[in-house]
Amino acid sequence: MDEETSSGRRAKESRRQRLSDTWISRHRPTLPQEDWFDVSCTDLVLRISYGGARTFRVRFKDENGKTRYHSIGRWDPAKFNVDAARKAAKAFDPQTELKGKRSAKGLGHDQAWWLTATFEQVIEKYITEVASGFRTADETARCYRKYVVPALGKKLFLDLKQSDAAQLRVTMRKENGHRQADIVFGLIRTLLFWVEDEGLIDDYASPVRYQSKRRGKRKKGGGRERVLDDDELRLVWRAAEQMGGLYGGIVRLLLLTAQRRQCLATAKWSEIVDGTWFIREEEGAKGTGQILRLPPLALQILTSLPRIEGNPFVFGVFDDGEHKPFNSFSQRKEELLELLPRQLPRWTLHDLRRTARTRMEDIEVEMTAAEVTIGHALPGVKRIYIRSKFKEKRADALLRLSEHIAQIVGLPPEQGTPADPAASNVVPLRAKHS
């Protein structure tokens, strides 16, 4: 069999490896999902799934001669290593598995629940056990309940097909737009992969696989390249300053901090202590867990923001009787565009983050410092061996960036820099951890 298929991916059967605990710990997958067949025990398969889960499976034939797979456990070098997996694979009895498939008798309570669970019940389970810890928990739950539950909630979870999710996306494109349709489709796919990766149902595989690239979405060789030049940056800054409020603050702070839009929009006052933003760490969320000492210009903007009593969010709103993070990005952007003296080529909030990172390069902020400041993970073995929080380097990078932006937009020098060297550690903003 060829080493690679016409699409460039190695065929499953050609992914063979003499599995060892050392190899598993060091291997970095190059595909969203990989199956590695053990050379020493040909029916033992290591599946590296979406999210990085490493699960051992055993291959067998059913009564019709069709190849089946059964999960025998997660790889754990201390509790279930390669040797233990080989023993379990050799001791596996296909007849026992087939009998279990033909009847729910003998299933534990958790496994039996999945046989009759509706998609709505699984969604609520996912929201409670997983999504509730996300920075975007409220928005994630809202999307599931508003778009997915009405359309697919009554279906049995195990009966869900790829065409069900695809049809929902097609319908949503007409009614809600392409962007919202793709977001909801991604949420469905994420939930299904969670069930698969966690091994909640024996031998379950998500019917919705990875989304193919949409035609025309990106240029060959990369994504968007939009970066605002000096004149554009100056016009957008002044419009945001004139607009004020939450959106005007978000636009300027995106340029000053280079963080992701959602990370900034869901920041809490309790995370900002003595002028330092302690971005709470969330499993699976990019750019979290950072410690950023904010420059004086960013702190001035923060202190000018309107606040709602009892709302924990820096960019908080009160909607439907609840305190929520700001989420009216499209509508507010239209208002900001009307304040511009002339029309600019299309730009997005993420382009502001790209602009800030590019400016760091222009003012010669050291590469590693710039990357960790914007929340990018260190490449390769660096992320394993370099455990520094880069507090001072991050603070210096943001201070230099704020000085650069202040100069471009025409702010007085004292607004971009602290009054004296010692003042960079003493700022008026103070909040207590909740």
Side-chain angles (χ1 to χ4, degrees), residues 11 123 127 256-257 293 402:
I123 286 173
I127 290 173
L256 293 173
T257 65
R293 191 165 70 233
S402 72

Side-chain angles (χ1 to χ4, degrees), residues 245-418:
L246 299 180
Y247 190 78
I250 285 177
V251 168
R252 287 174 289 164
L253 286 171
L254 281 173
L255 286 166
L256 293 173
T257 65
Q259 299 307 298
R260 293 175 176 84
R261 183 192 80 175
Q262 199 61 25
C263 184
L264 186 61
T266 58
K268 294 183 177 180
W269 287 112
S270 60
E271 297 170 1
I272 303 175
V273 181
D274 288 339
T276 299
W277 181 15
F278 296 84
I279 303 177
R280 60 185 182 276
E281 187 167 3
E282 296 181 3
E283 185 177 355
K286 296 179 179 179
T288 61
Q290 297 188 78
I291 300 176
L292 300 179
R293 191 165 70 233
L294 300 173
L297 183 53
L299 294 172
Q300 290 173 21
I301 295 171
L302 284 173
T303 56
S304 69
L305 293 176
R307 296 185 64 167
I308 300 174
E309 185 177 357
N311 195 317
F313 297 104
V314 175
F315 298 93
V317 297
F318 191 72
D319 182 43
D320 291 335
E322 296 182 52
H323 292 297
K324 299 178 180 179
F326 179 86
N327 197 36
S328 304
F329 294 103
S330 298
Q331 182 179 352
R332 298 287 89 80
K333 184 182 177 183
E334 290 298 324
E335 295 175 10
L336 183 141
L337 293 178
E338 292 178 0
L339 297 175
L340 294 173
R342 61 180 174 84
Q343 186 176 2
L344 302 181
R346 179 179 177 273
W347 58 273
T348 68
L349 291 181
H350 195 73
D351 293 336
L352 303 182
R353 171 174 157 85
R354 186 182 299 106
T355 298
R357 175 61 183 90
T358 302
R359 296 303 174 127
M360 288 185 191
E361 202 69 25
D362 293 341
I363 60 177
E364 299 182 348
V365 173
E366 193 265 328
M367 177 73 76
T368 298
E371 285 294 283
V372 297
T373 298
I374 71 171
H376 282 173
L378 294 175
V381 297
K382 288 184 178 181
R383 77 181 67 174
I384 298 175
Y385 289 100
I386 301 178
R387 312 308 297 178
S388 171
K389 294 295 185 181
F390 295 94
K391 293 181 184 179
E392 296 303 320
K393 288 189 176 182
R394 293 180 203 257
D396 179 69
L398 292 184
L399 181 60
R400 292 174 60 188
L401 176 64
S402 72
E403 293 172 350
H404 175 70
I405 291 176
Q407 182 179 19
I408 290 174
V409 302
L411 291 176
E414 63 268 17
Q415 286 193 261
T417 58

Side-chain angles (χ1 to χ4, degrees), residues 192-219:
L192 299 179
F193 277 126
W194 166 68
V195 176
E196 177 181 322
D197 290 349
E198 292 296 315
L200 300 175
I201 309 174
D202 288 339
D203 209 29
Y204 175 80
S206 168
V208 179
R209 305 317 295 175
Y210 296 87
Q211 184 178 2
S212 59
K213 294 180 180 178
R214 297 203 303 273
R215 294 179 183 177
K217 181 181 179 182
R218 293 188 175 184
K219 297 178 181 179

Side-chain angles (χ1 to χ4, degrees), residues 19-46:
L19 297 178
S20 68
D21 297 312
T22 301
W23 182 87
I24 295 174
S25 66
R26 293 179 177 177
H27 178 66
R28 295 293 176 266
T30 57
L31 296 176
Q33 179 173 285
E34 296 182 353
D35 283 354
W36 289 90
F37 292 75
D38 185 28
V39 173
S40 299
C41 179
T42 55
D43 288 329
L44 178 65
V45 185
L46 173 70

Side-chain angles (χ1 to χ4, degrees), residues 106-122:
L107 283 176
H109 172 74
D110 290 342
Q111 285 281 300
W113 181 84
W114 289 95
L115 296 177
T116 58
T118 64
F119 196 25
E120 180 178 7
Q121 291 173 317
V122 176

